[in-house]
Amino acid sequence: MSRYPAVPEGIAFGGDYNPEQWPAEVQEEDVRLMREAGVTLVSLGVFSWVQTEPREGVYEFGWLDAIVDRLHDAGISVNLGTPTAAPPAWFSRAYPDAFPVTREGVRVGAGGRQHACSSHPAFRAASARLAERLAERYGDHPAVVMWHVHNEYGAPLGECYCAASTAAWRLWLRRRHEDLDALNAAWGTAFWGQRYGDWEEIDAPRWSHTVVNPAQRLDYARFASEEHLSHFRLQRDILRRTGKPVTTNFAGTVNCKSMDLWRWAPELDVIANDHYLNGEQPDNHIWLSMSADLSRSLAGGEPWMLMEHSTGAISWQARGIAKRPGEMRRNSLAHVARGSDSVLFFQWRASRSGAEKWHSAMLPHGGTGTRIWQDVVALGADVRRLAPVRGGRVTAEVAVAWDWESYWALELEWRPTGDLAFRERVDAFYEALWREHVTVDFVHPSADISAYKVVVLPSSYLLTEGSAKNLQRYVEGGGHLLVSYFSGVVDEHDTVHEGPYPGALREVLGLSVEEFHPLREHETVTLTGGGTGRVWSERVHLVGARAEQHFADGPDAGHPAYTSHDFGAGTARYLAAGLTPAGLRPLLGALLDRAGVSRPRDLPENLELVRRGAHTFLINHGPAPATVTGLSGTDLLTGAPFTGDVPPGGVAVVAPTQE
């Protein structure tokens, strides 16, 4: 089955369309303007459950028939949604026990979205019936090229603590642990006298006045992700009978903490991601690249879909920062550079009412006389010119480990310091690599990493024995491994690996850690190589490794801070300090050179360079012109020979000259 949408040609362009908010004459204008903008694909019906099923078991498809046919007549393809993220009022009234319950015991109310528990039998039955009816009616419609299940699982509903969830949780535990002795061992219930003698004694890990068993919390996070995935599979299996690809939109790969997307990814026919810039975050284009790289990695390197992003301001952030001229274009084409075969937005026409009426759109409240509309039309033309890029792959020589289970475990309570955060270290290493002009893949620590020249573990607090052996084999085979502090210290049950830290990684790193020394809030340490770190320091003892740098000050002054250990044909390195991205760059630069990682030299720091297939994307995020030497060909965006110059805020996509 296709791993990317069967749009008529090229890179898909369009967005989320909600015609139910508008009268017929506006819908007609919408389709006319879509053609003007070059729209080729819209997501339709994502929140229209009550329009499709106004009363339980009563379906009305006339309104949807009309708009699907109108779009088809205009040559616009449809990604048809199952609107189960927006349960109607009749459902909430009929099944009040389907409302989710928070960990604190508060029942969620209606009026928003995702206000039905994925474990509730009535919600599952209603979801399946709706998917069946949509598949029957539109499975053969030529406009419908793919299916879109639900919307942004995990945002806002992650874990639910209602009665249906608790019952499903006990069944899940039986499947995972098989017997109570195994569960008690995995959870370490001898601590604080928590041993269970009957499955019915086990409750969901609700809020308590002190810390709740972290192994139980970790299992509940796994369970919650699996329950949402089970709800997705229920609808997917029905829709797949039509022979058309099925997806759902991830709620921002780098920001969706509650779903283990490594487990989700194989279940989708095409990976789809929503990405919204933090308007106030400096250099937010770096985190856009990170989200795109993680999306591509979840797709196994194959093309994926940018399902949603914004033309301008975002309504749900603390401050709706408008995008600067050219920023929307750069954002959009950066996703394409990193593997997306679509440029889609939320949403087509700005809503006049509701929670997101201040959210930007392809067609703003101000209409076709606005800069945003003019930029959308121009972007549509750019996207058409990029048709030759479709299907191209991005290859990387460096991988960064990302594991949602480690994310969950690290950020539970009572760790050595409250300053530990999974994203903080991942972000620091990613930023340093981005500024070194290195394209990276993200990998699970258990994945096949043999093809990468360098693998970085920024935040692998939780690491199984199997993953540790995988990393050891990688180094033995000639790989270069770089591990950051507080990694490899617990197993899949949040149990400390036996023996000195860093447990599972002691042998390959050639060292042990005697004691952690978290730093005070504003305290820093420096390394003899000049880098500055915060959050962390630790007492490292060498057991075969050699010290490359030492702590120059702080609680571990004079002791190893950065080490290397030749192991088999490769080398494993360990960094025991939380260096800033600026401090990481010299270490990474030397490591990349040692490993033979190819990367462009002498480029401006703000020039993003990514190779996708035969095409080279150059995106200038800086205020000054950038010059690139040694690259020739045709700029697809202009049709002219590439001169080597990229203007401030500009983009070039260079295709090689045909022999």
Side-chain angles (χ1 to χ4, degrees):
M1 187 172 287
S2 172
R3 290 286 290 179
Y4 55 94
V7 295
E9 59 184 15
I11 305 296
F13 183 64
D16 197 275
Y17 182 38
N18 299 285
E20 64 272 18
Q21 298 179 18
W22 306 99
E25 60 272 18
V26 174
Q27 294 179 23
E28 292 175 2
E29 181 187 42
D30 281 335
V31 174
R32 177 180 63 80
L33 291 175
M34 285 179 188
R35 287 177 58 85
E36 181 178 331
V39 168
T40 58
L41 179 69
V42 296
S43 300
L44 189 65
V46 176
F47 298 112
S48 61
W49 189 343
V50 73
Q51 284 80 19
T52 305
E53 189 182 5
R55 298 183 304 282
E56 186 167 14
V58 177
Y59 297 91
E60 295 183 1
F61 291 110
W63 72 276
L64 190 54
D65 290 345
I67 192 62
V68 171
D69 289 343
R70 187 178 296 123
L71 290 165
H72 180 58
D73 291 342
I76 299 169
S77 297
V78 172
N79 174 23
L80 189 57
T82 66
T84 50
W90 62 256
F91 179 88
S92 299
R93 182 183 182 191
Y95 305 102
D97 57 342
F99 280 111
V101 174
T102 69
R103 187 167 178 249
E104 294 75 19
V106 178
R107 192 186 83 156
V108 171
R113 66 182 193 186
Q114 292 192 15
H115 48 276
C117 171
S118 285
S119 300
H120 196 278
F123 181 56
R124 291 200 170 208
S127 299
R129 288 194 302 268
L130 191 53
E132 289 273 11
R133 296 301 297 268
L134 288 167
E136 289 170 2
R137 192 163 190 100
Y138 301 104
D140 293 329
H141 199 294
V144 177
V145 297
M146 62 185 302
W147 300 98
H148 179 314
V149 173
H150 204 71
N151 181 75
E152 293 188 337
Y153 281 100
L157 177 58
E159 296 177 350
C160 175
Y161 292 78
C162 73
S165 287
T166 304
W169 155 244
R170 294 189 182 112
L171 293 174
W172 184 88
L173 289 175
R174 285 176 179 264
R175 293 192 299 271
R176 179 173 176 83
H177 296 285
E178 296 184 354
D179 62 62
L180 283 169
D181 286 342
L183 179 141
N184 282 305
W187 286 6
T189 56
F191 185 80
W192 281 359
Q194 296 172 347
R195 183 173 180 81
Y196 296 101
D198 190 285
W199 293 103
E200 293 302 311
E201 295 172 0
I202 304 172
D203 194 8
R206 306 177 192 281
W207 181 88
S208 184
H209 56 199
T210 189
V211 173
V212 173
N213 187 328
Q216 184 179 5
R217 293 282 310 278
L218 182 56
D219 258 359
Y220 205 78
R222 294 179 175 118
F223 156 76
S225 177
E226 290 292 323
E227 282 297 278
H228 288 302
L229 180 55
S230 176
H231 180 258
F232 166 78
R233 287 194 197 104
L234 173 70
Q235 299 183 65
R236 179 207 62 190
D237 291 348
I238 293 167
L239 298 169
R240 266 187 177 169
R241 298 172 199 156
T242 66
K244 296 175 179 179
V246 186
T247 191
T248 187
N249 51 334
F250 293 155
T253 51
V254 296
N255 295 320
C256 187
K257 180 182 176 183
S258 59
M259 300 293 105
D260 184 349
L261 299 185
W262 290 123
R263 293 185 64 84
W264 279 72
E267 307 285 351
L268 277 62
D269 296 321
V270 55
I271 298 301
N273 187 44
D274 297 351
H275 182 266
Y276 291 99
L277 288 181
N278 180 339
E280 296 189 273
Q281 186 176 23
D283 296 327
N284 52 23
H285 53 273
I286 297 177
W287 319 121
L288 182 155
S289 297
M290 182 173 163
S291 180
D293 284 343
L294 184 51
S295 300
R296 183 188 66 253
S297 301
L298 290 165
E302 295 186 33
W304 54 280
M305 293 185 72
L306 173 63
M307 187 70 79
E308 292 182 20
H309 74 311
S310 70
T311 58
I314 297 165
S315 62
W316 40 264
Q317 294 182 356
R319 297 170 185 83
I321 306 298
K323 291 187 178 181
R324 296 160 294 174
E327 189 173 7
M328 179 186 70
R329 182 179 190 242
R330 292 192 300 277
N331 293 165
S332 301
L333 299 186
H335 282 105
V336 177
R338 294 177 184 269
S340 177
D341 271 355
S342 68
V343 174
L344 305 175
F345 295 89
F346 181 85
Q347 58 181 325
W348 163 252
R349 182 184 284 268
S351 301
R352 292 186 58 209
S353 58
E356 294 184 291
K357 57 181 170 288
W358 305 122
H359 195 291
S360 57
M362 298 175 77
L363 182 60
H365 291 298
T368 58
T370 59
R371 176 179 63 83
I372 282 183
W373 170 255
Q374 293 163 3
D375 288 349
V376 163
V377 173
L379 179 61
D382 282 338
V383 169
R384 287 195 296 276
R385 297 183 187 107
L386 294 181
V389 173
R390 175 174 168 159
R393 294 175 67 97
V394 177
T395 58
E397 297 179 316
V398 177
V400 174
W402 179 297
D403 181 3
W404 271 273
E405 294 193 352
S406 186
Y407 197 163
W408 299 334
L410 178 65
E411 297 190 357
L412 292 173
E413 302 96 334
W414 288 13
R415 294 336 187 193
T417 173
D419 292 326
L420 289 168
F422 179 88
R423 282 286 306 277
E424 190 276 331
R425 280 295 85 193
V426 176
D427 287 6
F429 277 91
Y430 185 88
E431 179 180 345
L433 288 164
W434 191 96
R435 294 189 187 282
E436 287 292 312
H437 302 288
V438 174
T439 302
V440 308
D441 286 342
F442 286 92
V443 295
H444 190 275
S446 65
D448 181 1
I449 53 177
S450 58
Y452 296 103
K453 293 180 178 179
V454 173
V455 174
V456 180
L457 265 67
S459 198
S460 292
Y461 161 75
L462 182 155
L463 195 71
T464 67
E465 288 285 355
S467 292
K469 290 186 183 302
N470 183 53
L471 296 165
Q472 182 171 308
R473 288 191 297 270
Y474 166 74
V475 178
E476 285 179 318
H480 292 263
L481 177 69
L482 173 57
V483 179
S484 184
Y485 64 83
F486 205 45
S487 289
V489 294
V490 302
D491 66 11
E492 63 269 31
H493 305 301
D494 198 40
T495 297
V496 176
H497 284 289
E498 189 174 354
Y501 317 124
L505 294 172
R506 277 198 313 270
E507 184 178 1
V508 71
L509 291 174
L511 55 82
S512 67
V513 175
E514 176 184 345
E515 189 174 16
F516 305 134
H517 294 142
L519 303 178
R520 292 175 176 82
E521 184 176 4
H522 299 295
E523 188 179 5
T524 61
V525 292
T526 54
L527 273 58
T528 52
T532 301
R534 58 175 302 274
V535 175
W536 198 262
S537 178
E538 59 190 27
R539 185 64 52 87
V540 174
H541 296 288
L542 303 179
V543 188
R546 58 186 175 274
E548 303 286 352
Q549 293 189 37
H550 294 79
F551 286 103
D553 52 27
D556 295 297
H559 290 271
Y562 181 52
T563 67
S564 62
H565 184 221
D566 295 330
F567 189 84
T571 305
R573 293 168 174 81
Y574 186 66
L575 179 59
L579 295 186
T580 63
L584 287 171
R585 285 186 65 182
L587 298 184
L588 284 167
L591 173 56
L592 295 169
D593 290 341
R594 177 82 178 271
V597 174
S598 58
R599 65 193 196 278
R601 308 283 183 160
D602 303 321
L603 290 181
E605 186 176 285
N606 285 322
L607 182 69
E608 183 174 356
L609 186 154
V610 184
R611 293 184 175 90
R612 181 176 179 188
H615 300 91
T616 302
F617 283 72
L618 300 162
I619 306 172
N620 188 355
H621 299 282
T627 300
V628 180
T629 60
L631 180 63
S632 62
T634 301
D635 184 352
L636 293 181
L637 297 175
T638 64
F642 177 61
T643 63
D645 297 322
V646 186
V651 182
V653 181
V654 183
T657 302
Q658 298 296 321
E659 296 295 336

